[in-house]
Amino acid sequence: MSYSMVKRTLFIALAAMTTICSFAKDNNKSVRVVSVSQDVDAANAGVIYALPKTIIRVRVDAELTIEKVGPYYKYSNKYLNISDVVTQDSKSWKIVSASVETTHAIDYTKRYKIFSDNGSLLPNVNLSADGILTGINNSLQKSCCAEGQEQASIPNVDFYDVPLDQQVLTKTSTAAMAEQVAQSIYNIRAKRLAILGGEESTLLPDAGSYDKVLAELDRLEKQHVELFVGKRVVVKVTKYFDLEPSNDAEVIARFTEKDGFLSAMDLTGKPIYVEFATDNSSRVNAYPEGSKQRKSAPLFGLRYCIPAVTLVKVLDRNNVLTEAKVLTSQGGQVATLPVSYLNNDDIQIQFDINTGALLNVSTIKTNK
């Protein structure tokens, strides 16, 4: 081959390689991420996401015991031979348990924009309803902490639901009414005994019907006996408190045996408070965003959080109700994934919605 032919062949090959490289460059994605504070037009031509701040949700369970005196309590020993009765109306509270879990809120100081500088398509970005990043190219992650529903319905304890017959209501004295109610109790017991002994003349269609009749007799007897012994009702009351970790102990409520939960500002009660202790050892070396070193090498990768471990203690005065170690974004560190991850449609990334932590980076399996 002559020199001129070789020269011509090399020229054609070089031109072809240049064309291929140019085509590849033009078709490469160039997806980047910047802080919204560094973008003068952050609201346009991109996807805005935020990292979460971790919220500590404290649940405190208490029991309210309500005692109601029966109208015939003075005659309980005389007519029913029962001495253990309620003799005074009262209400008393006690804390029985506490627990800690985490939920989230948007951190407006950590918002970022995903954009493309050459107009190429962005990856599939999954956000929560409030704009927190939950993943790239994956399904939406739901919060693991359900909305706390307080249970604080206090029942009205009385005796108006007792079905008294006419013989009781027509008596003119409390003693006579008590005697007649006691007789009704004995009649109910005799009826039950007759059914169980097969002496009852009325035939019921099946065993289930007998069970229903016996259950109704038990209910009636209990209602009538309570007119003598009184009522004792125990109600579970649950309160939820959402707060951010801090360096100081925080009073979330106050509590008394008489009135139960009170406002944190009500000094008549004893404090329920929360203590935090955050371990920052999860941090790794990095130039902070906005530093002189970082300005020479700007960050364009996907931001996520390396969470810290926070010890949470819930105390009733000096009594520890519960303690737990939880992961929190506060005290943690913002880190960056390589920007190449955003330019690869086969990469799937998952983040924790409560801490912003990186949970998983994997390759999407496709059927070829």
Side-chain angles (χ1 to χ4, degrees), residues 66-365:
I66 304 173
E67 293 188 336
K68 187 73 172 179
V69 176
Y72 310 132
Y73 79 99
K74 293 181 179 179
Y75 306 97
S76 58
N77 192 48
K78 177 179 180 180
Y79 292 124
L80 300 179
N81 195 28
I82 299 175
S83 57
D84 183 17
V85 301
V86 177
T87 59
Q88 184 177 359
D89 292 346
S90 67
K91 291 182 180 180
S92 61
W93 292 77
K94 69 175 181 179
I95 296 174
V96 294
S97 65
S99 60
V100 172
E101 59 183 348
T102 58
T103 182
H104 63 275
I106 188 170
D107 188 342
Y108 289 102
T109 67
K110 295 183 176 66
R111 288 191 295 173
Y112 305 92
K113 175 181 176 179
I114 303 175
F115 70 100
S116 171
D117 58 9
N118 66 356
S120 60
L121 291 177
L122 299 179
N124 295 319
V125 181
N126 299 309
L127 306 177
S128 66
D130 46 1
I132 295 173
L133 181 68
T134 62
I136 301 294
N137 296 323
N138 70 337
S139 58
L140 180 63
Q141 176 196 357
K142 295 183 179 179
S143 173
C144 63
C145 180
E147 187 70 23
Q149 299 294 326
E150 293 191 357
Q151 303 167 13
S153 177
I154 310 301
N156 185 27
V157 180
D158 53 44
F159 300 94
Y160 296 124
D161 59 341
V162 182
L164 299 176
D165 58 32
Q166 185 177 1
Q167 290 180 313
V168 175
L169 298 176
T170 55
K171 299 297 181 182
T172 57
S173 69
T174 302
M177 294 177 72
E179 183 179 8
Q180 188 59 51
V181 171
Q183 186 59 52
S184 297
I185 294 172
Y186 291 124
N187 291 340
I188 293 170
R189 292 174 178 175
K191 184 79 171 178
R192 182 195 298 109
L193 187 61
I195 292 174
L196 293 173
E199 302 170 7
E200 176 61 42
S201 58
T202 303
L203 295 178
L204 298 176
D206 52 41
S209 300
Y210 279 97
D211 291 340
K212 291 180 181 179
V213 170
L214 291 174
E216 180 63 16
L217 291 174
D218 289 343
R219 187 184 68 84
L220 288 173
E221 180 184 351
K222 181 176 182 295
Q223 286 182 320
H224 283 72
V225 170
E226 284 177 340
L227 293 171
F228 292 90
V229 303
K231 286 187 176 184
R232 183 177 287 108
V233 178
V234 179
V235 182
K236 183 178 179 180
V237 179
T238 300
K239 292 286 186 180
Y240 292 90
F241 306 90
D242 287 354
L243 55 157
E244 294 185 38
S246 65
N247 295 325
D248 301 318
E250 183 171 345
V251 177
I252 57 176
R254 293 182 182 271
F255 190 87
T256 68
E257 293 182 357
K258 178 183 177 182
D259 299 314
F261 291 101
L262 301 172
S263 164
M265 302 301 293
D266 191 337
L267 300 182
T268 61
K270 297 176 181 178
I272 302 173
Y273 61 96
V274 181
E275 288 182 348
F276 302 98
T278 298
D279 180 2
N280 300 115
S281 59
S282 63
R283 288 176 169 266
V284 295
N285 294 334
Y287 290 132
E289 210 161 339
S291 65
K292 292 182 178 179
Q293 298 91 336
R294 180 52 57 198
K295 286 180 180 178
S296 62
L299 293 172
F300 291 118
L302 194 66
R303 312 303 199 280
Y304 68 98
C305 183
I306 301 175
V309 176
T310 299
L311 175 64
V312 184
K313 288 185 179 181
V314 183
L315 301 97
D316 173 18
R317 289 162 290 175
N318 295 323
N319 178 37
V320 178
L321 298 174
T322 189
E323 60 179 281
K325 288 184 178 180
V326 297
L327 294 175
T328 59
S329 59
Q330 296 89 328
Q333 179 183 11
V334 175
T336 309
L337 283 174
V339 71
S340 59
Y341 282 23
L342 291 172
N343 293 316
N344 190 338
D345 293 336
D346 294 331
I347 294 294
Q348 186 178 68
I349 309 172
Q350 183 180 4
F351 301 96
D352 183 82
I353 195 171
N354 289 337
T355 64
L358 177 63
L359 297 180
N360 182 54
V361 178
S362 59
T363 302
I364 301 174
K365 294 181 180 180

Side-chain angles (χ1 to χ4, degrees), residues 22-57:
S22 176
F23 178 83
K25 182 178 180 181
D26 289 342
N27 284 275
N28 272 341
K29 285 188 176 181
S30 185
V31 180
R32 299 185 179 189
V33 181
V34 295
S35 172
V36 296
S37 62
Q38 298 173 349
D39 191 330
V40 295
D41 193 24
N44 295 315
V47 175
I48 305 298
Y49 79 88
L51 294 179
K53 55 183 176 182
T54 305
I55 302 298
I56 305 297
R57 175 162 291 167

